[in-house]
Amino acid sequence: MKMEEDTWSILNLDLEQGDPYLELERRQEKQPIFKIPTSLKERNVKAYEPQIVSIGPYHYGKPHLMPMEVHKQRALLHFVKRSGVPIQVYMSELMKVVHQLKGSYEQLDEEWLQGDTRFIQLMILDGCFIIEFMGVQRKNWINDYARDDPIFSSRGFRANSSSLVKDFVLVENQVPYLVTSTLLSIAGYTDHLKNVHGIASSTMLSVIKGPAMPAFEIYMSNMRKESYFESPSFLKYSASELYYFGIQFKKIGSFGSIEFHENNAILNLPSITFRDNTLHEYLNMLAYELRVGTNHEFNSYICLIVRLVQSVKDVRVLKSQKILINTLGSDEAVVEMLKRLENDLVIDSRCKSITVLKQMNDYCERSTIKRRRKFRDWKSNLNENYFRNPWTSISVGAAAFLLVLTVIQTIYTIRSFYSSKN
């Protein structure tokens, strides 16, 4: 399906004009934007496909996503007009790296492989949409939309941010960071933040690591900051069970700082929020890490949460400790969501989350052994001091018999009192 020609004719495309002035970094390792395997996607198609807006070539042209195209083109017009830089400058600069940008996608249909101009148009269109939408929060930067704009006003942002960001962080719905960093550099938006990386960082939801990186990898790297394979059979205790053993939960800022302090029985955990788009977001993050991650930190972290939350009772324990924030409406929904996440986890025993689980299991096992030993000692002491001496045994039995008689007499007196009143 062709993009609207009107927008590009308005901008008067002319690839022969314009004098490029931006020197782009080209040596960073490529991070391919891949497609989710069909076998994985079939379990929950909606979790991996955009519901409102297509970003990049994989889902462009799908009928249910087309209503957002008019807003994407409007964002492009605003971006270019505000920058004062002709559209051909953006086209010319990105044409220099068209092969690098195409190489960021693992699978491209023939129409995108053959048509460089159309591919770059799509990169600019989608890159501008992301920048404009995320930029409406900064009123001193983007404030040229109508106050009642359905997408780019403050009200429009509040109404659409949750749904759109949900689509922005899907594995298959990405543009490389090189696109947005180039657009921002040419537009001269460095005056609004310290540098191009700063503004691109806020646009792409996280810190910057490389121009070929898709938004999703940047988003995940932020999650990791702010937060050998084996069977999880060794994971035995849930949150409520750990609480029974005296383990307390302390809220920290990131899952990279998870730690169990055995001396005072405190587990440091970041808070985790469950909302409407959590399932789709986390499924994509898990799939992405399995494909390109050097370790499986996020998979192992979710394994820790799954192990801790086995029932509604566990949800309530973690909520009381400010570890779990639930906006789903019911605690049962959290348990159900974690069960769905559990199906595709790959656990890395080298990760801190799994190490912590082992430490807590060992702590509980030792506590159980100590309690059994105390019980045996108490039982042994009872036998030694009371039941070996027959007179002591008779005394204990007589005392128990008298206690039972006293209770019976009390009950009889109470019943007689109420019978006389009636």
Side-chain angles (χ1 to χ4, degrees), residues 8 13-15 86-96 116-122 124 183 186:
W8 300 98
L13 293 179
D14 185 353
L15 299 183
I87 188 63
Q88 56 263 31
V89 176
Y90 296 100
M91 289 289 296
S92 178
E93 203 59 47
L94 286 172
M95 275 291 185
K96 290 182 178 181
D116 288 353
T117 298
R118 186 163 177 261
F119 177 81
I120 292 300
Q121 287 178 346
L122 180 65
I124 294 175
L183 293 172
I186 296 174

Side-chain angles (χ1 to χ4, degrees), residues 357-384:
L357 276 169
K358 290 179 177 178
Q359 291 172 340
M360 290 190 299
N361 285 334
D362 291 343
Y363 176 87
C364 293
E365 293 293 338
R366 288 194 299 271
S367 296
T368 300
I369 292 172
K370 288 179 182 178
R371 291 182 182 186
R372 287 173 180 169
R373 186 177 296 132
K374 285 182 178 179
F375 178 76
R376 284 198 303 267
D377 291 344
W378 174 81
K379 185 177 178 181
S380 175
N381 181 60
L382 192 64
N383 287 329
E384 182 71 26

Side-chain angles (χ1 to χ4, degrees), residues 247-274:
I247 293 177
Q248 300 291 314
F249 302 91
K250 180 181 178 182
K251 189 171 110 175
I252 56 173
S254 68
F255 73 75
S257 302
I258 292 172
E259 193 170 3
F260 177 60
H261 298 279
E262 187 173 330
N263 59 334
N264 54 8
I266 291 179
L267 172 62
N268 289 341
L269 271 181
S271 63
I272 182 169
T273 301
F274 289 86

Side-chain angles (χ1 to χ4, degrees), residues 26 91 99 114 135 148 157 200 251 254 308 340 387 406 410:
R26 295 180 174 89
M91 289 289 296
H99 296 299
Q114 297 300 324
D148 58 350
F157 180 89
K251 189 171 110 175
S254 68
L308 291 177
R340 295 175 70 180
F387 296 113
T406 302
T410 303

Side-chain angles (χ1 to χ4, degrees), residues 129-349:
F129 178 74
I130 293 173
I131 291 170
E132 292 289 284
F133 184 73
M134 301 306 293
V136 297
Q137 297 177 90
R138 303 175 180 274
K139 296 185 182 299
N140 63 333
W141 172 34
I142 294 178
N143 58 3
D144 54 351
Y145 289 95
R147 293 182 62 182
D148 58 350
D149 189 282
I151 303 294
F152 300 105
S153 64
S154 296
R155 180 183 300 176
F157 180 89
R158 288 194 299 270
N160 295 282
S161 59
S162 177
S163 298
L164 286 173
V165 170
K166 178 179 174 180
D167 282 352
F168 288 165
V169 296
L170 296 178
V171 170
E172 297 181 347
N173 215 40
Q174 302 289 311
V175 293
Y177 162 66
L178 179 57
V179 172
T180 53
S181 64
T182 301
L183 293 172
L184 289 165
S185 296
I186 296 174
Y189 283 134
T190 53
D191 293 339
H192 296 280
L193 290 177
K194 290 182 179 179
N195 50 46
V196 172
H197 283 200
I199 194 168
S201 171
S202 65
T203 301
M204 305 300 275
L205 309 179
S206 180
V207 295
I208 299 307
K209 295 176 75 175
M213 189 176 294
F216 196 80
E217 169 62 23
I218 298 169
Y219 181 70
M220 280 202 65
S221 68
N222 186 50
M223 282 289 295
R224 287 192 289 267
K225 290 184 179 181
E226 296 190 8
S227 51
Y228 302 105
F229 306 129
E230 57 184 83
S231 166
S233 58
F234 62 86
L235 312 176
K236 298 179 181 179
Y237 299 100
S238 68
S240 57
E241 292 168 331
L242 293 174
Y243 198 71
Y244 168 78
F245 281 102
I247 293 177
Q248 300 291 314
F249 302 91
K250 180 181 178 182
K251 189 171 110 175
I252 56 173
S254 68
F255 73 75
S257 302
I258 292 172
E259 193 170 3
F260 177 60
H261 298 279
E262 187 173 330
N263 59 334
N264 54 8
I266 291 179
L267 172 62
N268 289 341
L269 271 181
S271 63
I272 182 169
T273 301
F274 289 86
R275 53 187 183 275
D276 289 340
N277 65 329
T278 294
L279 179 64
H280 294 179
E281 180 182 312
Y282 283 5
L283 282 172
N284 278 268
M285 293 173 71
L286 293 170
Y288 189 87
E289 185 179 65
L290 292 180
R291 177 60 183 269
V292 303
T294 56
N295 55 42
H296 296 83
E297 290 180 3
F298 190 69
N299 273 259
S300 298
Y301 167 66
I302 294 299
C303 174
L304 169 59
I305 300 301
V306 167
R307 184 59 259 174
L308 291 177
V309 180
Q310 294 292 304
S311 68
V312 170
K313 184 190 297 184
D314 301 316
V315 175
R316 290 168 184 164
V317 167
L318 293 179
K319 282 169 62 177
S320 70
Q321 302 288 299
K322 311 299 184 185
I323 298 297
L324 193 151
I325 301 167
N326 180 21
T327 65
L328 294 175
S330 74
D331 293 338
E332 289 82 359
V334 173
V335 178
E336 181 61 31
M337 184 179 291
L338 287 170
K339 285 180 180 178
R340 295 175 70 180
L341 287 171
E342 186 177 15
N343 295 330
D344 298 309
L345 291 176
V346 174
I347 301 166
D348 190 336
S349 63

Side-chain angles (χ1 to χ4, degrees), residues 6-17:
D6 292 345
T7 300
W8 300 98
S9 61
I10 291 173
L11 294 168
N12 189 25
L13 293 179
D14 185 353
L15 299 183
E16 300 302 320
Q17 298 180 10

